[in-house]
Amino acid sequence: MKKEQAFTKKIMSLEHTAAAELFEKHAYPWEVLSEISGFIKEYGKTLAPSEYDNPSENVWIHKTAKVFSSAYIGGPCIIGPETEVRHCAFIRGSALIGRGCVVGNSTELKNVILFDNVQVPHYNYVGDSVLGYRSHMGAGSITSNVKSDKTLVKVHFEDGDVETGLKKFGAMLGDRVEVGCGSVLNPGTVIGCDTNVYPLSSVRKAVDSFSIYKNQGETAAKTVVE
């Protein structure tokens, strides 16, 4: 993937997130990470009490959402309509969760934006990340959001690296990305829309849209059937 192919509007549909105005201020999706918490706090104040419950400070949950009693919801957080937060989910805060999402058993979220219809349904860790419309993380797949040497994260593109200035940066998933079970998305991973990642993969780069990621250095284009 080249740098310009990772622009937010190239890989994500902004009509499927309440944070569209936040993304529109920036070129790349990871540039919103430091602003998620503040955005949620301000946006939450505009939500109608007739539609959203406000069970604790800076937490808003749509009345049609289903949240299991064993789930932990830390603020700031917004949970959208028709979303399901399952048994023992751990939402640590700074989480904007869209419409029709699934946050599954023992899944942990921290400083994230989940577009509409995102599924993180089984034992996932998603931190300092943005997941595009209808993206799905298979069971046990995680985002690794801090480098082992604690240096700032770079995104590796075909036409050179981009310095993000961020110590914590998990993954940016485009619309309809499928991440296979047991995969690790290393710090600075960017995956274009409509791409599949094989199970048990370790991804450490920017991956083209409309492709299949098999392993490090091996990516195949998808065959599109009309």
Side-chain angles (χ1 to χ4, degrees):
M1 175 186 280
K2 294 184 178 180
K3 295 173 187 175
E4 66 176 18
Q5 295 171 326
F7 291 159
T8 305
K9 292 182 179 180
K10 295 270 184 137
I11 63 174
M12 297 174 180
S13 302
L14 295 185
E15 65 267 28
H16 291 294
T17 178
E21 66 180 68
L22 181 60
F23 286 99
E24 286 171 349
K25 297 192 299 182
H26 304 286
Y28 293 114
W30 61 82
E31 293 176 312
V32 308
L33 290 177
S34 64
E35 302 177 35
I36 293 174
S37 178
F39 177 83
I40 293 172
K41 291 175 183 177
E42 292 305 311
Y43 183 69
K45 296 173 185 177
T46 71
L47 299 174
S50 60
E51 297 181 16
Y52 282 82
D53 294 324
N54 182 204
S56 60
E57 185 177 10
N58 293 322
V59 173
W60 295 270
I61 301 173
H62 197 275
K63 293 181 184 295
T64 62
K66 181 179 180 181
V67 179
F68 283 52
S69 60
S70 58
Y72 174 85
I73 313 294
C77 176
I78 296 173
I79 298 174
E82 301 168 8
T83 281
E84 184 172 328
V85 181
R86 294 176 177 167
H87 178 65
C88 289
F90 180 27
I91 300 178
R92 287 169 52 190
S94 298
L96 177 59
I97 303 169
R99 174 187 293 272
C101 296
V102 175
V103 180
N105 172 28
S106 303
T107 290
E108 180 178 351
L109 302 181
K110 172 255 181 186
N111 200 44
V112 297
I113 294 177
L114 273 53
F115 282 42
D116 297 342
N117 299 106
V118 167
Q119 294 194 1
V120 282
H122 308 289
Y123 305 100
N124 306 108
Y125 172 68
V126 187
D128 301 285
S129 298
V130 177
L131 277 55
Y133 175 62
R134 287 193 179 277
S135 58
H136 170 257
M137 294 184 66
S141 60
I142 65 169
T143 64
S144 173
N145 61 334
V146 179
K147 295 173 66 176
S148 59
D149 62 5
K150 307 300 188 293
T151 57
L152 300 181
V153 176
K154 300 178 183 178
V155 182
H156 303 298
F157 292 102
E158 293 174 15
D159 51 347
D161 294 344
V162 170
E163 300 274 1
T164 68
L166 299 170
K167 183 179 178 181
K168 294 186 177 182
F169 175 158
M172 305 290 124
L173 304 187
D175 294 347
R176 297 173 296 277
V177 165
E178 290 282 340
V179 178
C181 296
S183 294
V184 176
L185 307 180
N186 289 282
T189 292
V190 178
I191 301 178
C193 60
D194 297 284
T195 284
N196 289 49
V197 175
Y198 269 22
L200 301 178
S201 294
S202 177
V203 187
R204 193 185 299 275
K205 66 173 187 176
V207 181
D208 285 331
S209 296
F210 302 100
S211 62
I212 300 171
Y213 183 94
K214 299 182 178 181
N215 54 54
Q216 191 74 23
E218 184 179 0
T219 305
K222 272 187 176 179
T223 300
V224 179
V225 179
E226 297 292 342

CSV table of all heavy atoms in Angstrom, one decimal, residues 21-75:
chain,number,residue,atom,x,y,z
A,21,GLU,N,-17.1,14.0,11.7
A,21,GLU,CA,-16.5,15.3,11.7
A,21,GLU,C,-15.1,15.3,12.3
A,21,GLU,O,-14.2,16.1,12.0
A,21,GLU,CB,-17.3,16.3,12.5
A,21,GLU,CG,-17.5,16.0,14.0
A,21,GLU,CD,-18.3,17.0,14.7
A,21,GLU,OE1,-19.6,17.0,14.4
A,21,GLU,OE2,-17.8,17.8,15.5
A,22,LEU,N,-14.8,14.4,13.2
A,22,LEU,CA,-13.5,14.2,13.8
A,22,LEU,C,-12.5,13.7,12.7
A,22,LEU,O,-11.4,14.3,12.6
A,22,LEU,CB,-13.5,13.2,14.9
A,22,LEU,CG,-12.2,13.0,15.7
A,22,LEU,CD1,-11.7,14.3,16.3
A,22,LEU,CD2,-12.5,11.9,16.8
A,23,PHE,N,-12.9,12.7,11.9
A,23,PHE,CA,-12.0,12.2,10.9
A,23,PHE,C,-11.8,13.2,9.8
A,23,PHE,O,-10.7,13.3,9.2
A,23,PHE,CB,-12.6,10.9,10.3
A,23,PHE,CG,-12.5,9.7,11.2
A,23,PHE,CD1,-13.6,9.3,11.9
A,23,PHE,CD2,-11.3,9.0,11.2
A,23,PHE,CE1,-13.4,8.2,12.8
A,23,PHE,CE2,-11.2,7.9,12.1
A,23,PHE,CZ,-12.3,7.5,12.8
A,24,GLU,N,-12.8,14.0,9.5
A,24,GLU,CA,-12.6,15.0,8.4
A,24,GLU,C,-11.6,16.1,8.6
A,24,GLU,O,-11.1,16.7,7.7
A,24,GLU,CB,-14.0,15.6,8.1
A,24,GLU,CG,-15.0,14.6,7.4
A,24,GLU,CD,-16.4,15.2,7.3
A,24,GLU,OE1,-16.7,16.2,8.0
A,24,GLU,OE2,-17.2,14.5,6.6
A,25,LYS,N,-11.2,16.2,9.9
A,25,LYS,CA,-10.1,17.2,10.2
A,25,LYS,C,-8.7,16.7,9.9
A,25,LYS,O,-7.7,17.4,10.0
A,25,LYS,CB,-10.2,17.6,11.7
A,25,LYS,CG,-11.5,18.2,12.1
A,25,LYS,CD,-11.4,18.8,13.5
A,25,LYS,CE,-11.1,17.8,14.5
A,25,LYS,NZ,-11.1,18.3,15.9
A,26,HIS,N,-8.6,15.4,9.6
A,26,HIS,CA,-7.3,14.7,9.4
A,26,HIS,C,-7.3,13.9,8.1
A,26,HIS,O,-8.3,13.5,7.6
A,26,HIS,CB,-7.0,13.8,10.6
A,26,HIS,CG,-7.1,14.5,11.9
A,26,HIS,ND1,-6.1,15.4,12.4
A,26,HIS,CD2,-8.0,14.5,12.9
A,26,HIS,CE1,-6.4,15.8,13.6
A,26,HIS,NE2,-7.6,15.3,13.9
A,27,ALA,N,-6.1,13.7,7.7
A,27,ALA,CA,-5.9,12.8,6.5
A,27,ALA,C,-5.9,11.3,6.8
A,27,ALA,O,-6.6,10.6,6.1
A,27,ALA,CB,-4.6,13.2,5.7
A,28,TYR,N,-5.1,11.0,7.8
A,28,TYR,CA,-5.0,9.5,8.1
A,28,TYR,C,-5.9,9.2,9.3
A,28,TYR,O,-6.0,10.0,10.3
A,28,TYR,CB,-3.6,9.2,8.5
A,28,TYR,CG,-2.6,9.3,7.3
A,28,TYR,CD1,-1.6,10.3,7.3
A,28,TYR,CD2,-2.7,8.4,6.2
A,28,TYR,CE1,-0.7,10.3,6.2
A,28,TYR,CE2,-1.8,8.5,5.2
A,28,TYR,CZ,-0.8,9.4,5.2
A,28,TYR,OH,0.1,9.5,4.1
A,29,PRO,N,-6.4,8.0,9.4
A,29,PRO,CA,-7.3,7.6,10.5
A,29,PRO,C,-6.7,7.6,11.9
A,29,PRO,O,-7.3,8.0,12.9
A,29,PRO,CB,-7.8,6.2,10.1
A,29,PRO,CG,-6.9,5.7,9.1
A,29,PRO,CD,-6.3,6.9,8.4
A,30,TRP,N,-5.4,7.3,12.0
A,30,TRP,CA,-4.7,7.2,13.3
A,30,TRP,C,-4.5,8.6,13.9
A,30,TRP,O,-4.3,8.7,15.1
A,30,TRP,CB,-3.4,6.5,13.2
A,30,TRP,CG,-2.4,7.2,12.3
A,30,TRP,CD1,-1.5,8.2,12.6
A,30,TRP,CD2,-2.1,6.8,10.9
A,30,TRP,NE1,-0.8,8.5,11.5
A,30,TRP,CE2,-1.1,7.7,10.5
A,30,TRP,CE3,-2.6,5.8,10.1
A,30,TRP,CZ2,-0.5,7.6,9.2
A,30,TRP,CZ3,-2.0,5.7,8.8
A,30,TRP,CH2,-1.0,6.6,8.4
A,31,GLU,N,-4.7,9.7,13.1
A,31,GLU,CA,-4.5,11.0,13.7
A,31,GLU,C,-5.6,11.4,14.6
A,31,GLU,O,-5.5,12.4,15.3
A,31,GLU,CB,-4.4,12.0,12.5
A,31,GLU,CG,-3.1,11.8,11.7
A,31,GLU,CD,-3.1,12.7,10.5
A,31,GLU,OE1,-4.0,12.8,9.7
A,31,GLU,OE2,-2.0,13.3,10.3
A,32,VAL,N,-6.7,10.6,14.7
A,32,VAL,CA,-7.8,10.9,15.7
A,32,VAL,C,-7.6,10.3,17.0
A,32,VAL,O,-8.3,10.6,18.0
A,32,VAL,CB,-9.2,10.5,15.1
A,32,VAL,CG1,-9.4,11.0,13.7
A,32,VAL,CG2,-9.3,9.0,15.2
A,33,LEU,N,-6.6,9.4,17.2
A,33,LEU,CA,-6.5,8.6,18.4
A,33,LEU,C,-6.4,9.5,19.6
A,33,LEU,O,-7.0,9.2,20.7
A,33,LEU,CB,-5.3,7.7,18.3
A,33,LEU,CG,-5.4,6.5,17.3
A,33,LEU,CD1,-4.1,5.7,17.3
A,33,LEU,CD2,-6.6,5.6,17.7
A,34,SER,N,-5.6,10.6,19.6
A,34,SER,CA,-5.5,11.4,20.8
A,34,SER,C,-6.7,12.3,21.1
A,34,SER,O,-6.7,12.9,22.1
A,34,SER,CB,-4.2,12.4,20.6
A,34,SER,OG,-4.5,13.2,19.5
A,35,GLU,N,-7.7,12.3,20.2
A,35,GLU,CA,-8.9,13.1,20.4
A,35,GLU,C,-10.1,12.4,20.7
A,35,GLU,O,-11.2,12.9,20.9
A,35,GLU,CB,-9.1,14.0,19.1
A,35,GLU,CG,-7.9,14.8,18.7
A,35,GLU,CD,-8.1,15.6,17.4
A,35,GLU,OE1,-9.2,16.0,17.1
A,35,GLU,OE2,-7.1,15.7,16.7
A,36,ILE,N,-10.0,11.0,20.8
A,36,ILE,CA,-11.2,10.2,20.9
A,36,ILE,C,-11.9,10.5,22.2
A,36,ILE,O,-13.2,10.8,22.3
A,36,ILE,CB,-10.9,8.7,20.8
A,36,ILE,CG1,-10.5,8.4,19.4
A,36,ILE,CG2,-12.1,7.9,21.2
A,36,ILE,CD1,-10.0,6.9,19.3
A,37,SER,N,-11.2,10.6,23.3
A,37,SER,CA,-11.8,10.8,24.7
A,37,SER,C,-12.6,12.1,24.7
A,37,SER,O,-13.7,12.2,25.1
A,37,SER,CB,-10.7,10.8,25.7
A,37,SER,OG,-11.2,11.0,27.0
A,38,GLY,N,-11.9,13.2,24.3
A,38,GLY,CA,-12.6,14.5,24.3
A,38,GLY,C,-13.8,14.6,23.4
A,38,GLY,O,-14.8,15.2,23.8
A,39,PHE,N,-13.7,13.9,22.2
A,39,PHE,CA,-14.8,13.9,21.3
A,39,PHE,C,-16.0,13.2,22.0
A,39,PHE,O,-17.2,13.7,21.9
A,39,PHE,CB,-14.5,13.2,20.0
A,39,PHE,CG,-15.6,13.1,19.1
A,39,PHE,CD1,-15.9,14.2,18.2
A,39,PHE,CD2,-16.4,12.0,19.0
A,39,PHE,CE1,-17.0,14.1,17.4
A,39,PHE,CE2,-17.5,11.9,18.1
A,39,PHE,CZ,-17.8,13.0,17.3
A,40,ILE,N,-15.8,12.1,22.6
A,40,ILE,CA,-16.9,11.4,23.2
A,40,ILE,C,-17.6,12.2,24.3
A,40,ILE,O,-18.8,12.3,24.4
A,40,ILE,CB,-16.4,10.0,23.8
A,40,ILE,CG1,-16.0,9.1,22.7
A,40,ILE,CG2,-17.5,9.3,24.6
A,40,ILE,CD1,-15.3,7.8,23.2
A,41,LYS,N,-16.8,12.9,25.1
A,41,LYS,CA,-17.4,13.7,26.2
A,41,LYS,C,-18.3,14.8,25.7
A,41,LYS,O,-19.3,15.0,26.2
A,41,LYS,CB,-16.2,14.2,27.1
A,41,LYS,CG,-15.5,13.2,27.9
A,41,LYS,CD,-14.3,13.8,28.6
A,41,LYS,CE,-13.5,12.8,29.4
A,41,LYS,NZ,-12.3,13.4,30.1
A,42,GLU,N,-17.8,15.4,24.6
A,42,GLU,CA,-18.6,16.5,24.0
A,42,GLU,C,-19.8,16.0,23.3
A,42,GLU,O,-20.9,16.5,23.4
A,42,GLU,CB,-17.7,17.4,23.2
A,42,GLU,CG,-16.7,18.2,23.9
A,42,GLU,CD,-17.3,19.0,25.1
A,42,GLU,OE1,-18.3,19.7,24.8
A,42,GLU,OE2,-16.8,18.9,26.2
A,43,TYR,N,-19.6,15.0,22.5
A,43,TYR,CA,-20.7,14.4,21.7
A,43,TYR,C,-21.8,13.8,22.6
A,43,TYR,O,-23.0,13.9,22.3
A,43,TYR,CB,-20.2,13.4,20.7
A,43,TYR,CG,-21.2,12.8,19.8
A,43,TYR,CD1,-21.8,13.6,18.8
A,43,TYR,CD2,-21.7,11.5,19.9
A,43,TYR,CE1,-22.8,13.1,17.9
A,43,TYR,CE2,-22.6,11.0,19.0
A,43,TYR,CZ,-23.2,11.8,18.1
A,43,TYR,OH,-24.2,11.3,17.2
A,44,GLY,N,-21.4,13.2,23.6
A,44,GLY,CA,-22.3,12.5,24.5
A,44,GLY,C,-23.3,13.5,25.1
A,44,GLY,O,-24.5,13.2,25.3
A,45,LYS,N,-22.9,14.7,25.3
A,45,LYS,CA,-23.7,15.8,25.9
A,45,LYS,C,-24.9,16.1,25.0
A,45,LYS,O,-25.9,16.7,25.4
A,45,LYS,CB,-22.9,17.0,26.3
A,45,LYS,CG,-21.9,16.8,27.3
A,45,LYS,CD,-21.0,18.1,27.5
A,45,LYS,CE,-19.9,17.8,28.5
A,45,LYS,NZ,-19.0,19.0,28.6
A,46,THR,N,-24.7,15.8,23.7
A,46,THR,CA,-25.8,16.2,22.7
A,46,THR,C,-26.8,15.1,22.5
A,46,THR,O,-27.8,15.3,21.8
A,46,THR,CB,-25.1,16.5,21.3
A,46,THR,OG1,-24.6,15.3,20.7
A,46,THR,CG2,-24.0,17.5,21.5
A,47,LEU,N,-26.6,13.9,23.1
A,47,LEU,CA,-27.5,12.8,22.9
A,47,LEU,C,-28.7,12.9,23.7
A,47,LEU,O,-28.7,13.3,24.9
A,47,LEU,CB,-26.7,11.5,23.3
A,47,LEU,CG,-25.5,11.2,22.5
A,47,LEU,CD1,-24.8,10.0,23.0
A,47,LEU,CD2,-25.8,11.0,21.0
A,48,ALA,N,-29.9,12.6,23.1
A,48,ALA,CA,-31.2,12.8,23.7
A,48,ALA,C,-31.4,11.8,24.8
A,48,ALA,O,-31.2,10.6,24.6
A,48,ALA,CB,-32.3,12.6,22.6
A,49,PRO,N,-31.8,12.2,26.0
A,49,PRO,CA,-32.1,11.3,27.1
A,49,PRO,C,-33.2,10.3,26.8
A,49,PRO,O,-33.3,9.3,27.3
A,49,PRO,CB,-32.5,12.3,28.2
A,49,PRO,CG,-31.8,13.6,27.9
A,49,PRO,CD,-31.8,13.6,26.4
A,50,SER,N,-34.1,10.7,25.8
A,50,SER,CA,-35.1,9.8,25.4
A,50,SER,C,-34.6,8.6,24.6
A,50,SER,O,-35.3,7.6,24.5
A,50,SER,CB,-36.2,10.6,24.5
A,50,SER,OG,-35.6,11.1,23.4
A,51,GLU,N,-33.4,8.7,24.1
A,51,GLU,CA,-32.8,7.7,23.3
A,51,GLU,C,-31.6,7.0,24.0
A,51,GLU,O,-31.4,5.8,23.8
A,51,GLU,CB,-32.3,8.2,22.0
A,51,GLU,CG,-33.4,8.8,21.1
A,51,GLU,CD,-32.9,9.3,19.8
A,51,GLU,OE1,-31.7,8.9,19.4
A,51,GLU,OE2,-33.6,10.0,19.1
A,52,TYR,N,-30.9,7.7,24.9
A,52,TYR,CA,-29.7,7.1,25.5
A,52,TYR,C,-29.8,7.2,27.0
A,52,TYR,O,-30.2,8.2,27.6
A,52,TYR,CB,-28.5,7.9,25.1
A,52,TYR,CG,-28.0,7.6,23.7
A,52,TYR,CD1,-28.6,8.2,22.6
A,52,TYR,CD2,-26.9,6.7,23.5
A,52,TYR,CE1,-28.1,7.9,21.3
A,52,TYR,CE2,-26.5,6.4,22.3
A,52,TYR,CZ,-27.0,7.0,21.2
A,52,TYR,OH,-26.6,6.7,19.9
A,53,ASP,N,-29.5,6.1,27.7
A,53,ASP,CA,-29.3,6.1,29.1
A,53,ASP,C,-28.0,6.7,29.5
A,53,ASP,O,-27.0,6.6,28.7
A,53,ASP,CB,-29.5,4.7,29.7
A,53,ASP,CG,-30.9,4.1,29.5
A,53,ASP,OD1,-31.8,4.9,29.7
A,53,ASP,OD2,-31.0,2.9,29.3
A,54,ASN,N,-27.8,7.2,30.7
A,54,ASN,CA,-26.6,7.8,31.1
A,54,ASN,C,-26.3,7.2,32.5
A,54,ASN,O,-26.4,7.9,33.5
A,54,ASN,CB,-26.7,9.3,31.1
A,54,ASN,CG,-25.4,10.1,31.6
A,54,ASN,OD1,-25.5,11.2,32.0
A,54,ASN,ND2,-24.3,9.5,31.4
A,55,PRO,N,-25.9,5.9,32.6
A,55,PRO,CA,-25.8,5.3,33.9
A,55,PRO,C,-24.7,5.7,34.8
A,55,PRO,O,-24.7,5.5,36.0
A,55,PRO,CB,-25.6,3.8,33.5
A,55,PRO,CG,-25.0,3.9,32.1
A,55,PRO,CD,-25.6,5.1,31.5
A,56,SER,N,-23.7,6.3,34.2
A,56,SER,CA,-22.6,6.8,35.0
A,56,SER,C,-21.9,8.0,34.2
A,56,SER,O,-22.3,8.3,33.1
A,56,SER,CB,-21.5,5.8,35.3
A,56,SER,OG,-21.0,5.2,34.1
A,57,GLU,N,-21.0,8.7,34.9
A,57,GLU,CA,-20.4,9.9,34.3
A,57,GLU,C,-19.7,9.5,32.9
A,57,GLU,O,-18.9,8.6,32.8
A,57,GLU,CB,-19.4,10.5,35.2
A,57,GLU,CG,-18.8,11.8,34.7
A,57,GLU,CD,-17.8,12.4,35.7
A,57,GLU,OE1,-17.4,11.8,36.7
A,57,GLU,OE2,-17.4,13.6,35.4
A,58,ASN,N,-20.1,10.3,31.9
A,58,ASN,CA,-19.5,10.2,30.6
A,58,ASN,C,-19.7,8.8,29.9
A,58,ASN,O,-18.9,8.3,29.1
A,58,ASN,CB,-18.0,10.5,30.6
A,58,ASN,CG,-17.7,11.9,30.9
A,58,ASN,OD1,-18.4,12.8,30.5
A,58,ASN,ND2,-16.7,12.2,31.7
A,59,VAL,N,-20.8,8.1,30.3
A,59,VAL,CA,-21.2,6.9,29.7
A,59,VAL,C,-22.6,7.0,29.2
A,59,VAL,O,-23.5,7.4,29.9
A,59,VAL,CB,-21.1,5.7,30.6
A,59,VAL,CG1,-21.7,4.4,30.0
A,59,VAL,CG2,-19.7,5.4,31.1
A,60,TRP,N,-22.8,6.8,27.9
A,60,TRP,CA,-24.1,6.8,27.2
A,60,TRP,C,-24.4,5.5,26.5
A,60,TRP,O,-23.6,5.1,25.7
A,60,TRP,CB,-24.2,8.0,26.3
A,60,TRP,CG,-24.1,9.3,26.9
A,60,TRP,CD1,-25.1,10.1,27.4
A,60,TRP,CD2,-22.8,10.1,27.2
A,60,TRP,NE1,-24.6,11.3,27.9
A,60,TRP,CE2,-23.2,11.3,27.8
A,60,TRP,CE3,-21.5,9.8,26.9
A,60,TRP,CZ2,-22.3,12.2,28.2
A,60,TRP,CZ3,-20.6,10.8,27.3
A,60,TRP,CH2,-20.9,12.0,27.9
A,61,ILE,N,-25.5,4.9,26.8
A,61,ILE,CA,-25.9,3.6,26.2
A,61,ILE,C,-27.2,3.7,25.6
A,61,ILE,O,-28.2,4.1,26.2
A,61,ILE,CB,-25.9,2.5,27.3
A,61,ILE,CG1,-24.5,2.4,27.9
A,61,ILE,CG2,-26.2,1.2,26.6
A,61,ILE,CD1,-24.4,1.4,29.1
A,62,HIS,N,-27.3,3.4,24.3
A,62,HIS,CA,-28.6,3.5,23.6
A,62,HIS,C,-29.6,2.6,24.2
A,62,HIS,O,-29.2,1.4,24.6
A,62,HIS,CB,-28.4,3.3,22.1
A,62,HIS,CG,-29.6,3.7,21.3
A,62,HIS,ND1,-30.7,3.0,21.1
A,62,HIS,CD2,-29.8,4.9,20.6
A,62,HIS,CE1,-31.6,3.7,20.3
A,62,HIS,NE2,-31.1,4.8,20.1
A,63,LYS,N,-30.8,3.0,24.3
A,63,LYS,CA,-31.9,2.2,24.9
A,63,LYS,C,-32.1,0.8,24.2
A,63,LYS,O,-32.7,-0.1,24.8
A,63,LYS,CB,-33.2,3.0,25.1
A,63,LYS,CG,-33.0,4.1,26.0
A,63,LYS,CD,-34.3,4.9,26.2
A,63,LYS,CE,-34.1,6.2,27.0
A,63,LYS,NZ,-33.8,5.8,28.4
A,64,THR,N,-31.7,0.7,22.9
A,64,THR,CA,-31.9,-0.5,22.2
A,64,THR,C,-30.7,-1.4,22.3
A,64,THR,O,-30.7,-2.6,21.8
A,64,THR,CB,-32.2,-0.3,20.7
A,64,THR,OG1,-31.1,0.4,20.1
A,64,THR,CG2,-33.5,0.6,20.6
A,65,ALA,N,-29.6,-1.0,22.9
A,65,ALA,CA,-28.4,-1.8,23.0
A,65,ALA,C,-28.7,-2.8,24.1
A,65,ALA,O,-29.4,-2.6,25.1
A,65,ALA,CB,-27.2,-0.9,23.4
A,66,LYS,N,-28.0,-4.0,24.0
A,66,LYS,CA,-28.1,-5.0,25.0
A,66,LYS,C,-26.7,-5.2,25.6
A,66,LYS,O,-25.8,-5.6,25.0
A,66,LYS,CB,-28.5,-6.4,24.3
A,66,LYS,CG,-28.6,-7.5,25.3
A,66,LYS,CD,-29.1,-8.8,24.6
A,66,LYS,CE,-29.2,-9.9,25.6
A,66,LYS,NZ,-29.7,-11.2,24.9
A,67,VAL,N,-26.7,-4.9,26.9
A,67,VAL,CA,-25.4,-4.9,27.7
A,67,VAL,C,-25.6,-5.9,28.8
A,67,VAL,O,-26.4,-5.8,29.7
A,67,VAL,CB,-25.0,-3.6,28.2
A,67,VAL,CG1,-23.7,-3.7,29.0
A,67,VAL,CG2,-24.9,-2.5,27.1
A,68,PHE,N,-24.8,-7.0,28.8
A,68,PHE,CA,-24.9,-8.0,29.8
A,68,PHE,C,-24.5,-7.4,31.2
A,68,PHE,O,-23.6,-6.6,31.2
A,68,PHE,CB,-24.0,-9.2,29.5
A,68,PHE,CG,-24.6,-10.1,28.4
A,68,PHE,CD1,-25.0,-9.6,27.2
A,68,PHE,CD2,-24.6,-11.5,28.7
A,68,PHE,CE1,-25.6,-10.5,26.3
A,68,PHE,CE2,-25.2,-12.3,27.7
A,68,PHE,CZ,-25.6,-11.8,26.5
A,69,SER,N,-25.1,-7.9,32.2
A,69,SER,CA,-24.8,-7.3,33.5
A,69,SER,C,-23.4,-7.5,34.0
A,69,SER,O,-22.9,-6.8,34.8
A,69,SER,CB,-25.8,-7.9,34.6
A,69,SER,OG,-25.6,-9.3,34.6
A,70,SER,N,-22.7,-8.5,33.4
A,70,SER,CA,-21.3,-8.8,33.8
A,70,SER,C,-20.3,-8.0,33.1
A,70,SER,O,-19.1,-8.0,33.4
A,70,SER,CB,-21.0,-10.3,33.6
A,70,SER,OG,-21.2,-10.6,32.2
A,71,ALA,N,-20.7,-7.2,32.1
A,71,ALA,CA,-19.8,-6.3,31.3
A,71,ALA,C,-19.4,-5.1,32.2
A,71,ALA,O,-20.2,-4.6,32.9
A,71,ALA,CB,-20.4,-5.9,30.0
A,72,TYR,N,-18.1,-4.7,32.0
A,72,TYR,CA,-17.7,-3.4,32.6
A,72,TYR,C,-17.6,-2.3,31.6
A,72,TYR,O,-17.0,-2.5,30.5
A,72,TYR,CB,-16.3,-3.7,33.2
A,72,TYR,CG,-15.7,-2.4,33.8
A,72,TYR,CD1,-16.0,-2.0,35.0
A,72,TYR,CD2,-14.9,-1.6,33.0
A,72,TYR,CE1,-15.4,-0.8,35.6
A,72,TYR,CE2,-14.3,-0.4,33.5
A,72,TYR,CZ,-14.6,0.0,34.8
A,72,TYR,OH,-14.1,1.2,35.2
A,73,ILE,N,-18.3,-1.2,31.9
A,73,ILE,CA,-18.3,-0.1,30.9
A,73,ILE,C,-17.7,1.1,31.6
A,73,ILE,O,-18.3,1.7,32.5
A,73,ILE,CB,-19.7,0.3,30.5
A,73,ILE,CG1,-20.5,-1.0,30.1
A,73,ILE,CG2,-19.7,1.3,29.4
A,73,ILE,CD1,-20.0,-1.7,28.9
A,74,GLY,N,-16.5,1.5,31.2
A,74,GLY,CA,-15.8,2.7,31.8
A,74,GLY,C,-15.9,3.8,30.8
A,74,GLY,O,-15.9,3.7,29.6
A,75,GLY,N,-16.0,5.0,31.4
A,75,GLY,CA,-16.1,6.2,30.6
A,75,GLY,C,-14.8,6.8,30.2
A,75,GLY,O,-13.8,6.5,30.9
